[in-house]
Amino acid sequence: MSHRVTLLPGDGIGPEVTAAMKMCVEAAGVKIDWEVCEAGETSIAKYGKPLTNEVLDSIRRNKTAIKGPITTPVGKGFRSVNVQLRQSLDLFACVRPCLYYEGTKTPIKNVNLMIFRENTEDLYAGIEFDLNTPEVTRLRTLINEMSLKKIKEDSAISIKPISVSASKRIVKFAFEWAVHMGRKKVTAVHKANIMKFSDGLFLRCAQEVAQAYADKVEFSDCIVDNMCMQLVQHTHLYDCLVLPNLYGDIVSDLCAGLIGGLGIAPGANYGDDIALFEPVHGSAPKYAGKNKVNPTATILSAVWMLHHLKEEAAATRLDNAVRAVLKEGKDVTYDLKADRNDPSAVGTMQMAEAICKKM
Ligand code: NAD
C-alpha cells in the first residue's frame, strides 16, 4: 500500500537530512507518495511568509508529515514556524524517545527514556509584550495595581499560560503511551515550588490523572533543576518524563546529550488525528550544504513515522539497519567518531547509503 505524506525539507541542513531519510525509507520497501512543501526561508523567498495555508492544508489532508528543521531568527523577526505548525494543527504532544544505540559516544550506557512535552502553551504561547510599547506599559500598570510585586519600567513581558485542559491532556497521553509500551513509571517535571499557580496547576493535574493509572504505572514528580542533575547522575531511575513546553524543550536536549548528541535524537508531534515527525535538532546553518551532518535523527524520526503508518516490518528493518551502522562505527559522520576530526568520517549521504545497504 502507498501512503501520502507531506514532506517539509526545511532550512539549513534540513534538505540534506530529509533527502537521506527519503532514500532510507524507500530502501526499507515502503511506497510513499511525498507531497513536498516549502516552509521557512524558501517559503519567505517565494511567497513572502514562512508558513502558508497550503502547507497546513497539505498536512491536514495527508494526516502524516515529516520535516527537517526550520530556522527561527533569534531575538527578532518572525515567530517560529515549528511552534506555529504545532499550535495551528493542535499537535499537543511532542514525543522524544531517548534510546541508547550501541556504538554511540555516550557518557552513560543503555539510556532508555521517553519524553512527553506539552506543545501548545506555556512560555511558547507567543504572548509577548516588547520594551517601550504602549501594550507593555498598559500591562505593567495593570499588574502593578493587582500585585504586591512591581515590574520595572524597562521590562519586556512574556506570558506563561498553563491550563487544566492542556496539562491533563498531555499527562493522559503520557500515561496511555506508558501503558501501551509496557513502561513502569511516569515522572512529572515542574517548578511548582516557585511558580505555585502555573506549574502548581500542572503538577496537580498530573497527580489527578495519575490516580486513574495507579494500578498500572508508578507516578512521581521532580523539580526541573533537580531533574537535570538526576538525569545525568541517576538516569536509570527514570522511565517516562512528562513536562510543560519549555522544560520539555530544554530537558530533551539534555537527554539527547545522554544518547550521543542531537545527531541521533528523533522526535514526533501528535494531535488527535495528525502526526508530524522531525528530529530534535535545529537547522545548524553553519553546516548547510556541506554533506557533513548526521542524518540519523531524521531517519529515526522516519522509523517512528513508519510505526505510525503501521508499517511495522519496515520500521524494524530500518531501525536495525541504523543500529548495525552505528555499532560498526565505520560509515558514520564526524560527530559519531571518537575524534571529531577523524578523516575516515563519511558525509550525510554516504551514511544514509551505508544504512540502505544493511536492509
Ligand atoms: P542546532 O540544533 O541547529 O545546532 C546546534 C549544534 O548541534 C550544531 O552546531 C551541531 O554541532 C549540532 N548538530 C545539530 N544537528 C546535528 C546533526 N544532524 N548532526 C551533527 N551535529 C548536529 O541548534 P541551534 O544552533 O541552536 O539552532 C539553529 C537554528 O535551528 C535556529 O534558527 C533555531 O531556531 C532552529 N531550530 C529549529 C528546530 C526545529 O525545526 N524543530 C529545533 C531547534 C532549533
Side-chain angles (χ1 to χ4, degrees):
M1 174 190 164
S2 171
H3 307 273
R4 196 162 171 81
V5 170
T6 303
L7 169 63
L8 310 180
D11 297 323
I13 58 172
E16 296 160 68
V17 292
T18 51
M21 174 281 297
K22 226 173 121 191
M23 186 166 81
C24 290
V25 168
E26 277 153 20
V30 183
K31 292 241 167 312
I32 299 212
D33 180 6
W34 302 101
E35 195 169 304
V36 181
C37 295
E38 275 156 319
E41 286 165 347
T42 46
S43 175
I44 294 176
K46 263 197 186 165
Y47 311 111
K49 49 184 174 178
L51 182 64
T52 60
N53 283 335
E54 284 67 30
V55 174
L56 293 170
D57 288 345
S58 165
I59 300 175
R60 285 192 186 104
R61 204 168 44 244
N62 296 327
K63 310 248 180 280
T64 305
I66 187 161
K67 65 178 275 294
I70 296 173
T71 298
T72 311
V74 177
K76 57 180 172 48
F78 62 85
R79 293 211 167 263
S80 165
V81 171
N82 306 301
V83 174
Q84 278 187 61
L85 282 166
R86 294 167 196 158
Q87 290 178 346
S88 308
L89 299 167
D90 198 22
L91 302 172
F92 65 88
C94 177
V95 180
R96 291 179 165 174
C98 292
L99 310 176
Y100 173 70
Y101 281 75
E102 205 180 331
T104 49
K105 281 192 300 180
T106 62
I108 301 157
K109 294 269 172 289
N110 299 320
V111 172
N112 183 355
L113 289 164
M114 291 297 293
I115 295 181
F116 299 92
R117 164 187 174 190
E118 203 289 323
N119 239 353
T120 62
E121 56 180 24
D122 192 355
L123 282 164
Y124 276 70
I127 308 170
E128 294 199 290
F129 301 90
D130 204 358
L131 177 68
N132 295 334
T133 56
E135 292 78 14
V136 87
T137 306
R138 265 177 75 189
L139 185 60
R140 193 168 43 78
T141 309
L142 188 68
I143 292 172
N144 287 349
E145 276 169 26
M146 286 194 305
S147 168
L148 294 175
K149 307 272 181 207
K150 301 297 169 220
I151 296 178
K152 284 186 190 165
E153 212 171 300
D154 56 348
S155 301
I157 301 175
S158 301
I159 304 286
K160 171 176 166 135
I162 300 275
S163 68
V164 170
S165 50
S167 301
K168 285 191 174 171
R169 184 162 72 157
I170 187 64
V171 178
K172 188 164 186 288
F173 185 96
F175 271 100
E176 286 295 320
W177 269 59
V179 170
H180 181 71
M181 297 179 86
R183 290 195 167 249
K184 300 281 174 277
K185 181 170 157 185
V186 172
T187 302
V189 184
H190 59 84
K191 188 79 184 171
N193 51 331
I194 303 298
M195 280 156 280
K196 294 179 191 298
F197 298 149
S198 51
D199 283 29
L201 181 72
F202 180 81
L203 175 59
R204 284 195 299 282
C205 289
Q207 288 164 335
E208 204 181 308
V209 172
Q211 283 174 15
Y213 297 87
D215 56 334
K216 298 187 202 88
V217 182
E218 193 191 329
F219 174 72
S220 69
D221 74 276
C222 191
I223 294 175
V224 64
D225 39 349
N226 179 27
M227 187 80 253
C228 292
M229 194 271 298
Q230 295 288 333
L231 283 168
V232 174
Q233 287 208 314
H234 307 294
T235 323
H236 299 295
L237 295 180
Y238 299 92
D239 185 355
C240 300
L241 309 181
V242 62
L243 317 88
N245 209 336
L246 180 63
Y247 308 146
D249 184 37
I250 297 167
V251 171
S252 296
D253 271 35
L254 186 151
C255 291
L258 296 177
I259 57 163
L262 285 170
I264 55 170
N269 305 282
Y270 296 92
D272 285 333
D273 65 346
I274 297 176
L276 168 65
F277 300 82
E278 62 176 333
V280 173
H281 66 70
S283 57
K286 69 178 175 195
Y287 294 122
K290 296 199 164 129
N291 186 39
K292 184 170 169 76
V293 296
N294 192 340
T296 306
T298 311
I299 295 169
L300 289 178
S301 301
V303 168
W304 285 85
M305 180 185 78
L306 292 175
H307 283 302
H308 179 75
L309 294 171
K310 308 263 181 284
E311 293 284 358
E312 298 300 340
T316 305
R317 213 163 23 247
L318 181 51
D319 192 47
N320 285 341
V322 171
R323 212 171 276 281
V325 169
L326 293 176
K327 188 174 172 190
E328 257 174 34
K330 189 167 72 67
D331 294 316
V332 296
T333 45
Y334 74 100
D335 56 311
L336 295 173
K337 295 285 185 184
D339 171 4
R340 287 167 77 91
N341 297 315
D342 186 336
S344 73
V346 301
T348 309
M349 283 318 262
Q350 290 65 45
M351 184 166 177
E353 277 159 18
I355 292 169
C356 292
K357 281 193 196 132
K358 296 285 183 196
M359 286 188 279

